[in-house]
Amino acid sequence: MNYEDKKIVAIIASNVEAATALNVIGHLAIAIGKYSGSEIMGRPVITDKSGGKHMGISQFPFIVTKVKAGKLKNAIERAKSNSNLLVADYTREILETRTDDDLAKAMAKKDGIELEYMGAIIYGDTKDVDEITRKFSLWRAD
């Protein structure tokens, strides 16, 4: 598989502070890694000249972008409607709960329309991911 065949794009809502954005990306990256299968990884172990072992990384580009909250929600909906894309999303409820059980209870009380999305990661074929994310700005800590 070619490096440019697939892409991973994180999308952060533009109103999310830098410290929170890093937390959002961390949680979402673990989810995408877990459910993406083995194809996402490059070499499992990379060895340096002195024989030191280092965990491998994704073999595909990982881009971090930002958009206004409304565009983020639309991007998540579009991505979820494409069965070829893997989508992890992060809602405000995740910040406001402590445990997985607390989160499940909080989410069960909300309709999808009520959810405030803080971020998402989309993984899949580059052309499908680009169709949704190509016009988004690169994220920068201000």
Side-chain angles (χ1 to χ4, degrees):
M1 188 170 297
N2 185 316
Y3 170 80
E4 295 176 338
D5 290 345
K6 303 238 181 211
K7 184 182 268 187
I8 307 158
V9 176
I11 312 163
I12 302 297
S14 58
N15 63 339
V16 172
E17 293 183 20
T20 302
L22 294 172
N23 186 278
V24 169
I25 290 171
H27 281 282
L28 293 174
I30 289 170
I32 287 293
K34 165 70 175 166
Y35 295 105
S36 64
S38 61
E39 76 174 13
I40 201 169
M41 289 301 298
R43 298 169 191 225
V45 176
I46 297 172
T47 306
D48 64 33
K49 184 178 178 181
S50 62
K53 306 278 186 212
H54 307 273
M55 189 179 294
I57 62 170
S58 166
Q59 67 174 324
F60 304 115
F62 190 119
I63 313 295
V64 181
T65 64
K66 71 175 181 177
V67 295
K68 292 183 179 178
K71 286 187 178 186
L72 171 60
K73 188 168 190 163
N74 183 47
I76 292 168
E77 290 170 358
R78 288 181 60 203
K80 285 184 175 183
S81 73
N82 182 336
S83 62
N84 295 320
L85 296 175
L86 183 60
V87 183
D89 59 58
Y90 193 105
T91 64
R92 178 156 301 279
E93 287 71 24
I94 297 169
L95 281 180
E96 296 173 348
T97 57
R98 292 196 58 217
T99 68
D100 197 49
D101 289 339
D102 292 342
L103 175 59
K105 289 175 189 171
M107 293 292 283
K109 293 178 183 177
K110 297 260 180 138
D111 286 325
I113 192 108
E114 298 176 276
L115 297 175
E116 177 188 349
Y117 291 98
M118 303 182 80
I121 293 181
I122 303 171
Y123 166 67
D125 289 344
T126 297
K127 69 174 186 59
D128 291 332
V129 175
D130 281 351
E131 187 176 302
I132 296 168
T133 65
R134 102 179 59 206
K135 293 184 179 179
F136 296 170
S137 300
L138 290 177
W139 185 84
R140 285 191 279 259
D142 296 329

